[in-house]
Amino acid sequence: MPPSDIPATEGPQGVGDGSKDQPLIVFDQVVKRFGDLTVLDHLDFSVAPGERVTLIGPSGSGKTTILRLLMTLEKVTEGCIWVGGEPYSHMRRGGHLTPAGEGYLRERRKRVGMVFQQFNLFPNMTVRQNIIEAPVHVLGTSKAEANARAVELLDMVGLGDKIDAHPTQLSGGQQQRVAIARALAMQPEILLLDEVTSALDPELVAGVLDVLREIAETTDITMLCVTHEMGFARDVSHRVLMFDQGQIAEEGTPEQIFGEPKEERTKSFLRSVLDNE
Amino acid sequence: MFWDFQWTFEVLPDLLRGLGVTIQVTVVGYLIALILGLLIAIVRRIPIFGSVLHAVMEFIRTTPLIIQLVFVFLLAPSTVSGLTVGIIVIGVHYSAYTAEVYRSGIEGVAKGQWEAARALSLPGRRTWGAIVLPQAIRKVIPALGNYLIAMFKDTPLLLAIGVTELLTEAQRVGSASFRIVEAYTAVGLLFLLVSVPSAILIRRLERRYAAV
Amino acid sequence: MDFLIQRLPLYLDGAWVTIQLTIGGSALAFVLAMVFGIMGTIRHWLPRAIATVYVEVFRGIAALVLMFWMAFALPQLTGYQLDDRFAAIIALGLNVGAYGAEVVRSSINAVPKEQVEATVALNFSWFQRLRLVVLPQAWAQMLPTFGNLVIELMKATAVAYLIGVADLTAVAQQMRQATGETVIAFIGAFILYYLIAQVLILGMRLLERRANRKLGRVPPGGTGLLALLRPPAVNTKAGVA
């Protein structure tokens, strides 16, 4: 079912009033259903510019769906997502918000980048092409500039010598680091990280997390991160959201959530994750 | 109006008679292809003879059917009708394809099945008849079905050896009355009338057997 | 043998016409296959419906019927007589293009969904997705079936002699009538058809190898030169020859 029209031009509270500390991302009563299954149930939350938020919770609790909605890989069923004070999942049309068309989405999702669980590098391109194609074709960056930037990014992720390698010649960890460089090459304001270490062999996880820690320390990119790496979540995030059944069960600083969780659901989830490690 | 409906209806019985011949060729030729192809697929496993046979089949597959038809027709004794030659040549030509389909099906039967048959010391005929072929054939039914439609569409080639199938009929009635547009368009429509529903049927079959 | 060697130039003339029809027909079929195959993957119903109609109609009609229609019905309808070869190329291209469109459509749909999602995350436009990511990956999957279709099309060119094209089969017929030597006259044509097919098979395999290498895959049968001589995969029969 397509998202329905919403008779509102004013955003939810705190959106669009031009104040300096207005949130960058706002989920306003967002519902996402797949057939009969409700994955997100009237979800409200917001993320400040530069904030790093980790989403945790049992599988099927809707964390990944939030990232996919922000990447416009899925459409909201009800409600609206706002980014930077402007409607994101919808567009304004004559005093109403109507579901956004592809042209509008293309304009808006420029600000967002995503790293996938399975890397999703393009096998028909070298590492270099994977990184420069989008800046060159989508942003109109010159080839020389895109190349220089690719070299810089690959050095940062520790793969400067692999620039002309083929994705299939790289380990999973290396592929994921290239995928991070590829996302950063588009200079997103918001970076979505969807279980980026889940598909990796255990010994390769640390390398990828180190790269992400460095990005967190050296940039002010807003990050939304779905992960099962609790140590990493504690280190880099400002805020942790615990999801259960399509709603936020508990939220707080990493110290609060990992140190003294209040909700029983959070406690049992954290126990199960720690048991598995 | 350039389209003469009355004429079209008048010649329709002639065209339908041609279609009847077309279908007859298709059905009998297809049976030959099904049986001969299976035999070839089995015999191909014999070492040297099999390789020679394979080369012959490769040759049949890579040269045009129509020149094969004309060639055999010219060499056949004059007592043999064009229809007979047509059915046999088209059947043999397609058996070169069905043999490959059967072969892939036979190779797809798990090695363990052969070993199990040997462990039970089943005779060769039982191994093939009761174990290997039933599994192999089931898997290739959709692929074989596609060849039925393909063969149907190859039957107009019999025009070259004087068989009065659909296209030949159209040529005859069309040129007799200078109603060529109607004649050939009608043939095209009749082809669609048969091949589109058959294609849908075979896609259904495909889905059914793919689900197993 | 002398018989054939003496008349070799005539056979080569016929073979050249056969090759022209094969190249022309394949080029047209390729363009139609790409256009209608891509249309078949568009979400909007209209281009999809157009693609379906094209595929079903031209797959359903025999190439020879189409060729007769082009050569004999079209002039009566429009008063304009197509060149015989041109009529043959159009009929073959329309017919094989319909098969090719299905190959293109299914190969595009077989590109992993995750690859398309990555292109969305990088904000590629629809056309950029297609050109930079989807088609290059689908290409390797299309090629083997394209190879079979090219062989089928080459074989189907032989029916063009029925509308008066002086191809290899026509030459064989002329030779037989001129000399009465049926077997020898036809064997010359058979051998040339076989050789043309082998060259086409080899060429398609080289293309396949290149496509697989670009995707970082080892081609089936290994990388050696000998792998090019591996027996062909199961052929598809288009019913055009």
Side-chain angles (χ1 to χ4, degrees):
Chain A
M1 207 178 73
S4 49
D5 284 13
I6 298 168
T9 48
E10 298 302 312
Q13 284 191 340
V15 167
D17 58 3
S19 64
K20 220 179 166 193
D21 50 24
Q22 74 172 27
L24 180 61
I25 304 166
V26 174
F27 273 57
D28 178 20
Q29 291 288 302
V30 169
V31 175
K32 177 64 189 174
R33 292 193 197 98
F34 293 105
D36 291 338
L37 183 73
T38 302
V39 182
L40 297 177
D41 185 7
H42 295 92
L43 183 69
D44 279 316
F45 81 96
S46 58
V47 178
E51 195 181 12
R52 294 190 290 275
V53 179
T54 298
L55 316 179
I56 62 170
S59 59
S61 59
K63 305 159 294 179
T64 291
T65 305
I66 290 171
L67 301 194
R68 292 175 61 81
L69 284 170
L70 274 169
M71 199 61 260
T72 70
L73 298 174
E74 310 282 354
K75 289 186 162 71
V76 297
T77 311
E78 286 171 33
C80 180
I81 301 170
W82 300 69
V83 171
E86 283 293 313
Y88 185 77
S89 59
H90 292 64
M91 54 191 181
R92 294 178 202 275
R93 185 175 284 163
H96 282 261
L97 292 176
T98 60
E102 175 62 21
Y104 183 79
L105 287 178
R106 254 204 110 199
E107 190 50 44
R108 304 286 287 133
R109 69 172 160 237
K110 267 186 198 164
R111 313 167 74 152
V112 184
M114 183 161 180
V115 182
F116 297 87
Q117 184 177 355
Q118 297 289 348
F119 339 130
N120 301 356
L121 292 181
F122 303 129
N124 57 314
M125 301 179 186
T126 62
V127 167
R128 181 199 304 271
Q129 288 169 317
N130 261 284
I131 298 174
I132 70 169
E133 289 296 304
V136 168
H137 288 102
V138 178
L139 302 180
T141 314
S142 76
K143 237 183 175 144
E145 197 183 322
N147 248 315
R149 177 98 176 110
V151 170
E152 221 173 88
L153 285 166
L154 280 174
D155 280 338
M156 187 197 77
V157 301
L159 292 171
D161 55 331
K162 302 287 188 194
I163 190 159
D164 288 314
H166 209 279
T168 50
Q169 296 166 330
L170 305 180
S171 73
Q174 290 171 327
Q175 288 192 51
Q176 192 59 296
R177 283 185 274 158
V178 172
I180 292 168
R182 180 174 74 173
L184 290 177
M186 292 296 280
Q187 302 179 312
E189 274 174 74
I190 300 166
L191 186 62
L192 309 172
L193 304 166
D194 185 15
E195 305 204 26
V196 294
T197 56
S198 302
L200 298 179
D201 292 335
E203 70 272 20
L204 301 173
V205 170
V208 171
L209 292 183
D210 285 344
V211 166
L212 293 175
R213 277 197 187 89
E214 192 184 331
I215 296 167
E217 279 162 22
T218 57
T219 69
D220 54 1
I221 295 179
T222 307
M223 284 186 179
L224 263 72
C225 178
V226 172
T227 185
H228 292 120
E229 297 289 333
M230 296 305 156
F232 171 74
R234 188 195 297 257
D235 290 352
V236 301
S237 46
H238 300 113
R239 190 150 57 104
V240 177
L241 303 181
M242 164 72 198
F243 278 83
D244 192 35
Q245 297 180 345
Q247 288 178 319
I248 297 173
E250 186 173 358
E251 67 169 291
T253 63
E255 291 74 23
Q256 286 168 342
I257 296 286
F258 297 123
E260 40 195 305
K262 294 192 190 69
E263 294 281 330
E264 192 48 47
R265 286 184 285 183
T266 314
K267 286 178 196 163
S268 71
F269 171 72
L270 288 174
R271 261 199 310 275
S272 72
V273 172
L274 294 175
D275 281 353
N276 283 340
E277 274 170 5
Chain B
M1 176 119 177
F2 64 83
W3 187 277
D4 190 338
F5 278 102
Q6 203 192 337
W7 182 85
T8 313
F9 280 115
E10 270 168 27
V11 299
L12 200 58
D14 286 336
L15 293 181
L16 288 178
R17 199 172 56 230
L19 184 63
V21 174
T22 292
I23 289 173
Q24 187 192 339
V25 172
T26 309
V27 171
V28 183
Y30 190 58
L31 284 178
I32 294 176
L34 283 184
I35 296 163
L36 189 59
L38 184 58
L39 289 179
I40 293 167
I42 296 170
V43 174
R44 249 206 69 188
R45 298 172 73 92
I46 300 170
I48 295 166
F49 177 71
S51 317
V52 174
L53 192 61
H54 177 70
V56 173
M57 289 297 135
E58 167 86 6
F59 191 82
I60 290 177
R61 268 203 311 270
T62 49
T63 53
L65 173 58
I66 193 163
I67 191 169
Q68 292 170 6
L69 278 168
V70 174
F71 183 61
V72 175
F73 179 67
L74 290 172
L75 291 184
S78 54
T79 48
V80 182
S81 72
L83 184 64
T84 311
V85 169
I87 289 174
I88 291 173
V89 171
I90 221 170
V92 172
H93 186 87
Y94 271 81
S95 70
Y97 286 86
T98 54
E100 286 296 303
V101 174
Y102 285 123
R103 183 180 64 92
S104 75
I106 291 169
E107 282 173 3
V109 174
K111 225 174 123 199
Q113 296 290 316
W114 291 91
E115 289 166 356
R118 189 158 307 154
L120 296 170
S121 37
L122 284 182
R125 192 182 296 173
R126 284 294 290 164
T127 307
W128 279 100
I131 297 178
V132 176
L133 290 184
Q135 296 186 48
I137 291 173
R138 191 176 172 75
K139 250 182 277 183
V140 298
I141 284 175
L144 290 175
N146 282 325
Y147 287 112
L148 180 61
I149 300 181
M151 188 184 263
F152 171 69
K153 278 177 290 175
D154 268 349
T155 52
L157 303 192
L158 267 58
L159 170 141
I161 55 173
V163 177
T164 51
E165 46 66 63
L166 180 52
L167 187 60
T168 319
E169 281 289 353
Q171 196 180 31
R172 186 178 64 75
V173 298
S175 50
S177 56
F178 299 104
R179 291 257 157 237
I180 291 170
V181 179
E182 284 92 333
Y184 290 142
T185 308
V187 170
L189 292 178
L190 283 174
F191 260 92
L192 284 181
L193 210 64
V194 177
S195 57
V196 171
S198 339
I200 292 169
L201 203 73
I202 284 176
R203 240 169 283 158
R204 283 234 184 106
L205 258 182
E206 215 164 290
R207 234 170 285 149
R208 200 173 123 201
Y209 282 92
V212 176
Chain C
M1 215 55 218
D2 276 353
F3 176 96
L4 282 181
I5 291 167
Q6 262 174 26
R7 292 166 176 80
L8 192 59
L10 287 168
Y11 277 96
L12 290 181
D13 283 349
W16 175 232
V17 173
T18 294
I19 291 168
Q20 282 175 337
L21 295 183
T22 306
I23 293 173
S26 299
L28 177 61
F30 179 74
V31 172
L32 292 172
M34 281 293 171
V35 169
F36 287 101
I38 291 168
M39 277 170 73
T41 64
I42 294 174
R43 200 177 294 171
H44 195 278
W45 66 272
L46 183 62
R48 266 212 334 262
I50 294 171
T52 306
V53 169
Y54 166 72
V55 167
E56 293 301 337
V57 167
F58 288 98
R59 264 200 326 191
I61 301 176
L64 182 58
V65 174
L66 215 53
M67 217 179 273
F68 268 50
W69 201 91
M70 291 282 170
F72 304 128
L74 196 65
Q76 217 184 46
L77 205 58
T78 62
Y80 183 76
Q81 178 81 52
L82 285 176
D83 175 67
D84 291 341
R85 286 182 211 184
F86 201 57
I89 285 174
I90 291 178
L92 292 167
L94 281 170
N95 188 245
V96 177
Y99 285 89
E102 276 300 279
V103 178
V104 171
R105 191 183 61 81
S106 63
S107 301
I108 288 177
N109 286 339
V111 170
K113 188 176 89 250
E114 290 76 16
Q115 287 290 314
V116 180
E117 292 186 344
T119 64
V120 175
L122 293 170
N123 212 4
F124 283 129
S125 68
W126 175 82
F127 187 67
Q128 287 166 341
R129 273 173 219 173
L130 200 63
R131 183 169 67 90
L132 298 169
V133 177
V134 175
L135 282 182
Q137 292 183 37
W139 181 240
Q141 186 160 349
M142 294 175 203
L143 276 176
T145 322
F146 274 179
N148 288 334
L149 287 178
V150 169
I151 304 291
E152 290 299 314
L153 189 143
M154 186 279 287
K155 287 162 60 187
T157 61
V159 302
Y161 91 90
L162 291 172
I163 62 165
V165 177
D167 75 334
L168 197 44
T169 303
V171 171
Q173 297 269 33
Q174 287 162 15
M175 288 300 142
R176 184 190 67 85
Q177 275 156 14
T179 65
E181 298 272 5
T182 306
V183 175
I184 297 176
F186 274 70
I187 279 180
F190 274 123
I191 291 174
L192 283 171
Y193 274 121
Y194 180 78
L195 288 178
I196 295 171
Q198 295 308 312
V199 170
L200 290 174
I201 289 171
L202 194 73
M204 291 307 291
R205 257 179 220 163
L206 285 171
L207 278 180
E208 265 175 64
R209 260 159 57 118
R210 219 179 62 133
N212 277 314
R213 206 177 305 131
K214 277 206 166 158
L215 292 181
R217 295 184 200 148
V218 178
T223 50
L225 206 61
L226 271 178
L228 283 175
L229 302 174
R230 80 188 143 83
V234 175
N235 287 270
T236 47
K237 185 78 172 76
V240 290

